[in-house]
Amino acid sequence: MRRDNLTRDEALARASLISDLTYEVTLDLSNPEAERYPCTTVVRFRCSERGAGTFLDYAGPSVLELEVNGEARPGAEAFDGTRIRLYGLSE
């Protein structure tokens, strides 16, 4: 199911699960004629529950690659248009 807005309950659940969140974003601006610019985002965080799942909000057109806990996962399958589903997280 596609969800465009984070609910209060989802925010509370995610806040109780995730801590020490950092982002590293690399944007490739080398082609000034491009309609869209490729971007790589690394999100690091601590999870309080082994095997838990959550999601990242993402408003881009697609997810080409996804790696969770060092394991490659199918990005297209995890992305529903507004969220990237993460599952099987490590503590």
Side-chain angles (χ1 to χ4, degrees):
M1 173 173 71
R2 184 180 164 126
R3 309 245 355 197
D4 291 336
N5 294 309
L6 177 70
T7 68
R8 180 181 173 90
D9 289 341
E10 289 170 331
L12 290 170
R14 190 163 60 181
S16 71
L17 186 67
I18 301 301
S19 63
D20 300 328
L21 181 66
T22 64
Y23 293 91
E24 178 183 316
V25 179
T26 305
L27 187 60
D28 181 355
L29 301 174
S30 61
N31 181 357
E33 304 299 319
E35 283 186 38
R36 295 185 176 144
Y37 298 99
C39 143
T40 301
T41 304
V42 176
V43 181
R44 292 184 177 92
F45 56 86
R46 294 191 186 280
C47 178
S48 64
E49 184 181 323
R50 184 175 183 80
T54 190
F55 61 91
L56 301 172
D57 297 302
Y58 176 63
S62 63
V63 174
L64 301 178
E65 296 178 34
L66 177 64
E67 185 178 308
V68 179
N69 302 328
E71 174 188 323
R73 305 232 178 127
E77 290 177 22
F79 181 56
D80 70 2
T82 59
R83 295 179 176 188
I84 303 169
R85 292 179 311 282
L86 306 175
Y87 56 89
L89 299 173
S90 297
E91 280 187 274

